[in-house]
Amino acid sequence: MIASLRTNWIILKTSVEERLVYRGDFVFATLIRFLPIVTQIFLWGAIYGIHTSSPIKSIKSYSYHEMVAYYLLVMVGRAFSSMPGLANGIANDVRDGTIKKYLIQPIDMLGYMFWARMAHKLVYYLVALGPFILVFYLCRHYFSGWPDAFTITAWILSLMMAFLVGFLIESLIGLIAFWFLEVSSLIFIYMMLNYFLSGHMIPLDLFPEPLSSWMQLLPFKYLAYFPGTVILGKYSHQELIFELSIEVVWIIALFSLNRIAFQRGIRRYSAFGG
Amino acid sequence: MNAIVVKNLEKTYKVYQKKEGVFASLKGLWRREHKTVHAVSDVSFSIEQGEIVAFLGPNGAGKTTTLKLLSGLVFPSAGEATVLGHIPWKRENEYRRRFSLVMGQKNQLWWDLPAQESFRLHKEIYRIDPQQYTRRIDELTSLLEVRHLIGQPVRELSLGERMRMELIAALLHKPDVLLLDEPTIGLDVVSQRRVQEFLKYYQVEQKTTVVLTSHYMKDVEALCKRAIIINQGRIKHDGPLSDILDRFSNYKIMDVQFDGDDMPQDFSQWGEVIECEAPHVKLKVPRNKIPEILSNLLSKYRILDVGVQERPLEEVIAEVFTEQKNEAANAQNEQNVLHSKTD
């Protein structure tokens, strides 16, 4: 137990070091991610007509300020849940045989991937923390004060779990490479679906019924919509507990699916190629 | 004691047969033809603890598949195998801590980081005792002469240096069984020799069981006493390296130096001329005819020096492969002829 913790710690540390090798590229990529938020502010300003004589008060339950705040918070949520290159990375490992490394060493491939991804994220937060604070400071007037401590705790939990849900969904897609070697079009489809099913495009409750309710039954909302709306005070404490519990159930389900897919995939890999 | 026991091992793959052309590709979208490939058929052998054995065979003969079976990367279609008492494809951690697979064409080291970072990770993965780890690193890096390079990112190393680092990573946990798939592929002669010398020294010191595949006969001759020749998935020979020559080579090389210019003009009655520069000649002669040729020459000419050598192993093995290939092709042709006759 302790030994495997140590192993994970070293995987994490080594991955952090690797991540820091290409500093320039990394810092640039991190900063460029803040650009879309500027266009969102202008876009929704135009939709609400804030510069006209009769601006729209609210769309569904969102005021203009809340809408901008939503996008800012979604950006934070996605900083946890998005996993650039994870599915593709697994698929490539399967296709070019790098996966052998994980099969011959006494190591768990998904665990290894998890800790490496954790390292990527930690390094990302290190670089992005300053810019995030700056952006939120500049945009502070879009927020109507601090929520209560319970809500903030729920928000932090929702972010951590967004990381888990994001990781598990993407790794599951990557594992499909055991059956279909080429998964890039599948990943593309997933990205497109994810864009609106997660609430990245617009808040899910803006969609018409019953579409909106159906979308909220899926796990994708935990990637952006849920962490985005917690701070906006859209949930009562009871509702928060309920939502977080459902999220835990999703994590357990996705984790089990990953394990099954991995076991079956390896069997198939061993039977066909290797 | 046997370290590796393999009994009637078989591995067949189904591969998708794509025909040429766009139309065929479109057809392949819903109906695909598969062909069964027998990568390994009915292979049996056992290897003693501390033995070092070469696997020889042309590309696609089944060598790598056999190594993959032994390292648990693939399930067999039939048959059984145990390595150190474990069934490899169960992939138990206990087994995985006791063997190493080095593939000359794949690397396990972190590309962007110095090799020592990968070593440190291996130390944790394989649970190597810290003191032993320091000692091993010390020993292996100095044996392979790469101590000054372990702090340099792997991507900046030359192929030879990288391969040596790969070997260190593979040996850190003191594996009892070492599987080497083309460990010297692409290396220059100096690096090749260094790797050979190292492996030889290491194997003798540690009594590691080694299975090696290589296309370089030099590797094989330097390291192995026993060779298993595999072709088209089947074992064609299993025994001492020297037996290969006795078994498969019907010829020897004869070097004759005549005294002065008094020498035969035409050697074709004795054998094939490889080199002829008076008063010296090099002939490829049938093994069983050597005494006859010699006495014949001695009775007619004055001879200063005679040497008889085995042909280079490489040449003999290449011959074995081509002959078998031709035989297989002939068999196939005969079958085709039969088929067309019955059609």
Side-chain angles (χ1 to χ4, degrees):
Chain A
M1 180 66 194
I2 291 170
S4 81
L5 273 179
R6 264 188 67 98
T7 310
N8 293 336
W9 168 242
I10 298 289
I11 293 171
L12 185 80
K13 234 177 70 179
T14 317
S15 304
V16 167
E17 286 171 42
E18 191 212 20
R19 202 63 189 156
L20 291 172
V21 172
Y22 296 105
R23 291 161 297 190
D25 168 72
F26 181 67
V27 169
F28 186 70
T30 305
L31 295 182
I32 214 81
R33 289 213 208 158
F34 286 97
L35 261 184
I37 193 70
V38 179
T39 54
Q40 289 289 359
I41 291 176
F42 285 124
L43 173 70
W44 288 98
I47 292 171
Y48 279 89
I50 49 162
H51 297 301
T52 59
S53 51
S54 54
I56 300 168
K57 278 260 153 31
S58 73
I59 298 176
K60 292 258 170 131
S61 62
Y62 293 84
S63 69
Y64 168 63
H65 279 123
E66 268 184 326
M67 193 59 87
V68 173
Y70 174 80
Y71 282 102
L72 286 163
L73 290 163
V74 159
M75 197 170 67
V76 179
R78 284 187 45 82
F80 282 81
S81 68
S82 78
M83 301 282 152
L86 177 64
N88 251 324
I90 295 177
N92 286 342
D93 282 356
V94 171
R95 198 170 35 192
D96 68 20
T98 311
I99 189 185
K100 290 187 182 81
K101 173 168 106 176
Y102 305 105
L103 298 181
I104 57 173
Q105 291 179 7
I107 199 174
D108 170 46
M109 174 169 139
L110 289 176
Y112 188 98
M113 299 262 168
F114 179 81
W115 290 103
R117 183 54 58 162
M118 182 83 104
H120 285 198
K121 286 290 180 197
L122 286 177
V123 175
Y124 172 65
Y125 302 142
L126 194 77
V127 176
L129 188 66
F132 261 111
I133 289 174
L134 181 70
V135 168
F136 272 77
Y137 177 75
L138 292 175
C139 298
R140 63 193 179 282
H141 59 280
Y142 291 110
F143 292 88
S144 50
W146 289 90
D148 60 295
F150 187 90
T151 308
I152 290 181
T153 314
W155 180 60
I156 291 169
L157 281 173
S158 80
L159 288 177
M160 290 171 155
M161 289 203 273
F163 173 73
L164 293 174
V165 173
F167 178 87
L168 292 169
I169 292 179
E170 279 238 1
S171 68
L172 196 59
I173 291 173
L175 291 174
I176 292 173
F178 279 122
W179 288 267
F180 308 101
L181 282 179
E182 184 53 61
V183 293
S184 56
S185 49
L186 202 74
I187 292 170
F188 182 72
I189 294 168
Y190 165 71
M191 301 281 244
M192 298 306 289
L193 285 176
N194 181 0
Y195 184 58
F196 74 96
L197 288 178
S198 70
H200 185 195
M201 187 168 71
I202 51 169
L204 293 183
D205 43 1
L206 254 56
F207 284 99
E209 284 297 345
L211 196 62
S212 170
S213 305
W214 289 349
M215 284 164 114
Q216 300 216 32
L217 292 176
L218 297 171
F220 303 104
K221 69 167 176 178
Y222 295 107
L223 302 174
Y225 174 73
F226 180 61
T229 44
V230 169
I231 290 276
L232 295 180
K234 302 263 176 199
Y235 302 89
S236 68
H237 289 181
Q238 259 84 36
E239 282 169 332
L240 281 177
I241 292 170
F242 176 73
E243 284 292 342
L244 288 171
S245 318
I246 298 287
E247 191 170 1
V248 171
V249 173
W250 270 116
I251 289 170
I252 295 170
L254 285 167
F255 178 81
S256 315
L257 277 175
N258 263 283
R259 282 288 149 200
I260 294 168
F262 184 71
Q263 290 308 332
R264 298 249 169 123
I266 292 291
R267 269 204 90 90
R268 195 187 143 85
Y269 179 80
S270 313
F272 280 84
Chain B
M1 220 188 94
N2 282 327
I4 301 175
V5 181
V6 173
K7 256 189 225 151
N8 311 105
L9 211 53
E10 298 226 11
K11 177 72 196 171
T12 49
Y13 293 115
K14 255 194 193 164
V15 286
Y16 160 47
Q17 288 293 98
K18 191 195 162 302
K19 299 229 172 76
E20 227 175 302
V22 180
F23 182 69
S25 300
L26 285 174
K27 229 175 107 185
L29 284 177
W30 59 88
R31 243 196 89 184
R32 294 194 166 184
E33 280 173 34
H34 291 275
K35 196 177 109 185
T36 314
V37 174
H38 297 273
V40 170
S41 351
D42 197 21
V43 162
S44 304
F45 59 86
S46 57
I47 295 174
E48 293 244 339
Q49 209 141 42
E51 209 179 346
I52 173 160
V53 177
F55 252 76
L56 307 177
N59 287 329
K63 297 172 302 208
T64 303
T65 306
T66 310
L67 287 194
K68 280 180 185 168
L69 283 161
L70 293 180
S71 51
L73 284 170
V74 288
F75 285 104
S77 315
E80 46 194 284
T82 52
V83 183
L84 304 166
H86 296 270
I87 295 169
W89 43 92
K90 278 191 177 169
R91 279 197 283 270
E92 296 152 304
N93 278 346
E94 212 181 310
Y95 172 55
R96 296 198 287 185
R97 282 200 188 96
R98 290 183 66 192
F99 87 97
S100 253
L101 170 67
V102 179
M103 292 193 262
Q105 285 157 312
K106 285 257 144 48
N107 43 37
Q108 301 189 36
L109 301 171
W110 290 57
W111 190 247
D112 287 318
L113 292 179
Q116 61 189 359
E117 302 296 334
S118 296
F119 297 160
R120 205 166 299 154
L121 192 59
H122 272 235
K123 169 178 170 260
E124 294 307 324
I125 291 174
Y126 288 99
R127 318 245 161 102
I128 306 166
D129 170 75
Q131 274 183 355
Q132 205 195 337
Y133 168 76
T134 324
R135 217 170 35 228
R136 298 273 302 160
I137 288 276
D138 241 32
E139 189 192 343
L140 293 169
T141 51
S142 66
L143 274 173
L144 282 162
E145 298 169 47
V146 285
R147 186 177 294 188
H148 58 294
L149 293 172
I150 62 168
Q152 208 162 306
V154 170
R155 62 163 193 275
E156 289 171 11
L157 300 177
S158 74
L159 185 61
E161 290 161 349
R162 208 155 68 220
M163 195 58 227
R164 282 180 261 165
M165 294 295 188
E166 289 283 343
L167 273 174
I168 295 174
L171 295 172
L172 269 182
H173 61 284
K174 238 183 190 174
D176 295 314
V177 168
L178 180 61
L179 308 171
L180 299 167
D181 192 13
E182 307 273 358
T184 59
I185 198 160
L187 301 190
D188 64 47
V189 186
V190 180
S191 298
Q192 248 179 56
R193 186 163 306 159
R194 185 150 302 153
V195 169
Q196 279 165 19
E197 278 164 5
F198 165 76
L199 285 172
K200 187 157 197 164
Y201 171 83
Y202 181 86
Q203 200 272 336
V204 171
E205 283 287 289
Q206 308 284 341
K207 308 271 181 296
T208 313
T209 310
V210 180
V211 181
L212 166 99
T213 78
S214 181
H215 283 122
Y216 295 107
M217 277 315 133
K218 292 268 175 329
D219 280 356
V220 175
E221 285 176 303
L223 295 168
C224 312
K225 287 199 179 74
R226 173 179 165 201
I228 296 175
I229 298 185
I230 184 166
N231 199 5
Q232 286 153 348
R234 289 178 185 280
I235 290 183
K236 305 289 174 187
H237 169 86
D238 180 0
L241 210 52
S242 51
D243 278 8
I244 295 176
L245 292 170
D246 292 339
R247 209 178 135 185
F248 297 108
S249 174
N250 299 320
Y251 299 95
K252 281 201 177 191
I253 304 293
M254 206 162 111
D255 255 314
V256 189
Q257 183 152 14
F258 296 91
D259 185 15
D261 290 335
D262 182 24
M263 61 188 274
Q265 289 307 303
D266 185 19
F267 286 97
S268 53
Q269 54 171 313
W270 289 298
E272 191 186 314
V273 181
I274 297 171
E275 225 177 79
C276 180
E277 208 173 318
H280 183 105
V281 70
K282 202 172 189 179
L283 294 170
K284 181 177 149 190
V285 296
R287 231 163 223 280
N288 48 7
K289 291 245 174 89
I290 291 171
E292 190 189 318
I293 295 169
L294 258 183
S295 61
N296 220 321
L297 282 173
L298 279 168
S299 63
K300 292 181 187 156
Y301 305 93
R302 281 169 57 87
I303 289 171
L304 280 186
D305 193 16
V306 176
V308 179
Q309 298 147 13
E310 292 286 4
R311 290 165 61 212
L313 189 60
E314 203 160 18
E315 210 179 290
V316 177
I317 288 176
E319 211 173 78
V320 173
F321 294 157
T322 27
E323 268 168 29
Q324 282 170 352
K325 209 168 149 191
N326 290 342
E327 271 167 35
N330 286 342
Q332 186 69 42
N333 281 342
E334 271 167 36
Q335 248 184 359
N336 288 347
V337 170
L338 278 178
H339 272 288
S340 53
K341 272 180 186 165
T342 49
D343 278 347

